[in-house]
Amino acid sequence: MEIQYVIINFIILLTILVLVGRKTVKRIFGDRLEKINKELDEAEEIEKMEMPVFEPYTEEIVDDIVNEDIVKAQEAVEEKINSIKAFGEREHSEIHRTMIENARKELFSVMKENVINLFSYEKYAKEIKSLDGQVLDAILSQITLTSGDMAYLKHHDVLYVTLTSAFPLEKELVDKVDEATKKLLETVDGKTSLWVLEDSSLIGGLKFRIGDTVYDGTVSEELYQFEKSMNHAPIMDDDTVGRLIQEFTEKAEEFRPQIHKYQLGRVMTVSDGICWMDGLADIMYGEVVEFECGERGMVLDIQQNRIGCVIFGEFEHIEAGSRVRRVGRIASVPVGECLLGRVVDALGNPIDAMGYLPYKERRPIEFKAPAILDRAPVNSPMHTGIKAIDALVPIGKGQRELIIGDRQTGKTAIAVDTIINQKGKDTICIYVAIGQKETLVAEIREKLESKGAMEYTIIIAVPASSSAALQYIAPFSGSAMAEHFMYEGKDVLIVFDDLSKHAVAYRELSLLLHRPSGREAYPGDIFYLHSRLLERAAHLSDDLGGGSITALPIIETLAGDISAYIPTNVISITDGQIFLDSELFNEGQRPAINVGLSVSRVGGAAQNPVMKKVSSSLRTRLAQYRELAEFMQFGSDVDDATKATLDSGKRLTEALKQGRFVPIPDELQTILIFAVSEGYAKSVDVQDMERFEKELYNFFKTEKESLAVKVKNARKLDETLRDELDRALAEFLARF
Ligand code: ATP
Ligand code: MG
């Protein structure tokens, strides 16, 4: 009975299970089936649909499309330019610069797209591919083994060769390459290993690499070269934009193989603005290299298995393993008249918001100094307009005179006054600010502008915030600009403000390059560095045009210590020094020139003869006075002779005081010093000396002009001139 129930229950359960299960299974499979059927139907429908036929573009259609692209590009660029113009010509320099930079980049990317589009049209793609054979022939006719390859083969038995093309290459061409490279290496008993690659980013053409040398005949290289040439093209007027666009499209349409040869290397490590690389087998010291991100650097260290370079800009985007390319030239800067009135960085890029620099020429920053036979003696004066200097430490054209002193003793002031005094004297001035505050440079520029001195001045500004590499090359860049003018027969005055900071920058670089450090942790070649720099100042012989570079390097001392390493170095390199004393400065004797420690070894030959005569005894008299004055602090009883020395000394010191920005013509300086040293100021109160000086100048400028001119041009101080001066001064005193 129980068993019967059990069986019935089981059967019921089974029936339910079968019924429900069948339904579920049916539902699952039904869904699938429906889906499959639907897809099959769709497929059938698609198959039934008529497929569109792509007709090849006719030439007119292509031209239309290309032209449309060009019009679009032109519009985009014009819009950009208008927005720059609307921004104003001389707005805030940094923003202005970035805008121009961006516009240029944008212009280029529009153009590049345009060209890439152009090559994707079948007509052009076919045409460019048909040139592969020609490109390859051109490459193979050029390949040679460099000395770097030979050196590599000495230590390794294979030289790697890569052939990269934009389109798949025919076997025939590959075989040709194989044969040619084998033949090339036959003579040196080496083997090659050929790799054939395809890279559509080349757009068209071929690239062949053997060892570190690349022979590049690709469209992308052509574009790169064009981009580079565009970096210096002005973008401020529509005319040039139109021209650029035209040039660009023409170039793309008429693309013919042109082989660019360069060497490649690889970044090993980057840190603190220093990059170590390998490859670049034939690189030279001082050569420029370019990283993939566009940043540049300069080679400063060549070792057997690695090359060290300093990076000019930001090094954050340079990655280990990325490519480095040799630019093929020593670091150089733009030179010429177009730089006058401009503020540029260490590489000669304008940073003054006055736009594009229309230079025609560049010059390497390192250059051989003129040989002894190419030089003429220093024989014409370089007036500073500062009485104490022109009288006591006269500077001649082609001389190197050091300005040395503690901080805040008026070193920069002397240099700036000297620049201002060159107005109308046909001398070009270059002020190299190394590691100075940006505000200070801006102030100097403003001052020079207001004095009308910017029109013959170039400022190279490398603020403290810029990299050590840029601070290091700044004075060399300045010298290159100066040399250009000197070899044209012009006179140049160059100020290095200051070389102490330059030495610190070089020390930083050297330590980062793991060079052994010497005295005060400076590298041993710091002396050579500065002598190499200052040796380039010269007065050229008449055969070479008679131009000159007068250099005023500035050195900052610590607590007046001129026997520290850098000061002694530069003192021994230069032809004299102007020593500024902080004690004198604080006493109010400004410019604070310490007469005892200042000297000019060659300038005397160039000094105005009258001034020379008048100031000959000045140095001893001032020294006597200083000594006596110090001594007399302790006593009050003075005999007449001592009193006379003290009186005249006091007036002389007073007469040598001078404010900033008031250069005094040479003849007036001479007359003043003549008057004071001949005792014409004896009866004048010390407090009245300033008025005495001013009125004396006025008197000679208005009433005795011809006499002043006579003093200026006189060959010597003869009796008649002395008489005339005596008479004029007596007349002046009677009125004073
Ligand atoms: P630093 O070490 O900071 O470079 P420096 O030695 O170049 O200083 P300056 O900047 O030329 O010194 O001058 C320091 C200060 O002295 C400035 O405020 C300047 O105006 C003042 N000064 C310099 N020369 C004179 C002068 N002849 N008459 C009056 N003031 C002067
Ligand atoms: Mg200074």
Side-chain angles (χ1 to χ4, degrees), residues 105-365:
K105 272 190 196 136
E106 204 155 307
L107 172 67
F108 183 74
S109 75
V110 172
M111 293 298 179
K112 197 166 173 176
E113 221 169 90
N114 201 23
V115 174
I116 294 172
N117 281 345
L118 201 65
F119 282 112
S120 64
Y121 298 125
E122 215 185 324
K123 174 190 152 197
Y124 290 103
K126 241 192 211 154
E127 203 171 284
I128 193 104
K129 182 162 172 23
S130 72
L131 294 173
D132 278 357
Q134 270 184 46
V135 179
L136 190 66
D137 285 343
I139 289 175
L140 293 182
S141 71
Q142 285 187 24
I143 54 170
T144 48
L145 286 181
T146 64
S147 44
D149 294 335
M150 306 281 213
Y152 185 86
L153 276 172
K154 260 188 200 146
H155 301 283
H156 308 79
D157 43 340
V158 256
L159 195 61
Y160 290 95
V161 178
T162 353
L163 181 66
T164 322
S165 61
F167 306 103
L169 276 183
E170 277 129 41
K171 186 163 177 304
E172 198 187 309
L173 294 182
V174 178
D175 289 346
K176 211 171 176 181
V177 173
D178 209 19
E179 202 180 302
T181 48
K182 278 203 180 106
K183 206 166 146 203
L184 184 69
L185 274 113
E186 243 168 33
T187 48
V188 290
D189 202 21
K191 275 185 282 178
T192 54
S193 162
L194 176 66
W195 294 64
V196 183
L197 304 172
E198 224 178 87
D199 182 358
S200 61
S201 70
L202 300 180
I203 309 176
L206 290 176
K207 192 159 88 170
F208 177 84
R209 176 174 177 181
I210 178 163
D212 290 333
T213 317
V214 179
Y215 299 85
D216 201 328
T218 60
V219 178
S220 59
E221 173 66 15
E222 206 57 43
L223 281 174
Y224 165 80
Q225 296 290 349
F226 187 70
E227 184 177 12
K228 259 196 348 195
S229 69
M230 240 191 58
N231 278 342
H232 297 296
I235 197 177
M236 295 307 283
D237 52 287
D238 309 334
D239 227 27
T240 17
V241 173
R243 203 205 65 224
L244 273 180
I245 292 173
Q246 198 191 345
E247 207 175 285
F248 206 92
T249 358
E250 268 170 19
K251 217 169 201 162
E253 282 182 342
E254 289 171 5
F255 175 75
R256 284 290 170 276
Q258 216 184 357
I259 314 298
H260 301 277
K261 185 179 162 186
Y262 53 88
Q263 275 196 331
L264 280 184
R266 202 173 36 135
V267 176
M268 291 160 72
T269 56
V270 197
S271 63
D272 304 312
I274 299 283
C275 170
W276 289 102
M277 310 167 288
D278 66 358
L280 299 166
D282 299 291
I283 200 136
M284 292 179 289
Y285 183 87
E287 207 180 301
V288 180
V289 290
E290 191 176 280
F291 298 93
E292 261 175 38
C293 59
E295 214 55 82
R296 289 189 163 201
M298 184 170 88
V299 173
L300 273 193
D301 207 295
I302 299 179
Q303 298 176 6
Q304 195 181 8
N305 48 4
R306 59 176 193 171
I307 288 157
C309 85
V310 291
I311 301 159
F312 291 148
E314 278 155 23
F315 55 89
E316 282 82 8
H317 308 295
I318 299 171
E319 286 170 2
S322 62
R323 299 258 168 248
V324 199
R325 177 199 269 248
R326 251 179 93 177
V327 173
R329 58 172 173 75
I330 301 289
S332 65
V333 284
V335 292
E337 305 262 326
C338 63
L339 280 156
L340 298 181
R342 303 297 300 264
V343 183
V344 295
D345 67 9
L347 298 170
N349 303 314
I351 49 172
D352 52 4
M354 283 163 71
Y356 162 75
L357 192 70
Y359 69 87
K360 295 196 186 73
E361 239 182 289
R362 297 181 74 90
R363 213 183 150 86
I365 61 167

Side-chain angles (χ1 to χ4, degrees), residues 408-413 431 436 440 444 497-498 501 554 556:
Q408 290 291 306
T409 46
K411 302 184 294 297
T412 306
Y431 178 75
Q436 304 281 350
L440 187 87
I444 290 175
D497 193 3
D498 63 49
K501 297 198 181 74
I554 295 179
E556 185 183 309

Side-chain angles (χ1 to χ4, degrees), residues 69-79 110 238 241-242 245:
D69 277 352
I70 293 173
V71 171
K72 253 192 240 159
Q74 191 145 13
E75 275 169 9
V77 172
E78 259 159 33
E79 199 184 301
V110 172
D238 309 334
V241 173
I245 292 173

Side-chain angles (χ1 to χ4, degrees), residues 5-15:
Y5 275 119
V6 172
I7 291 172
I8 289 168
N9 272 347
F10 181 72
I11 289 171
I12 291 171
L13 198 71
L14 205 69
T15 329

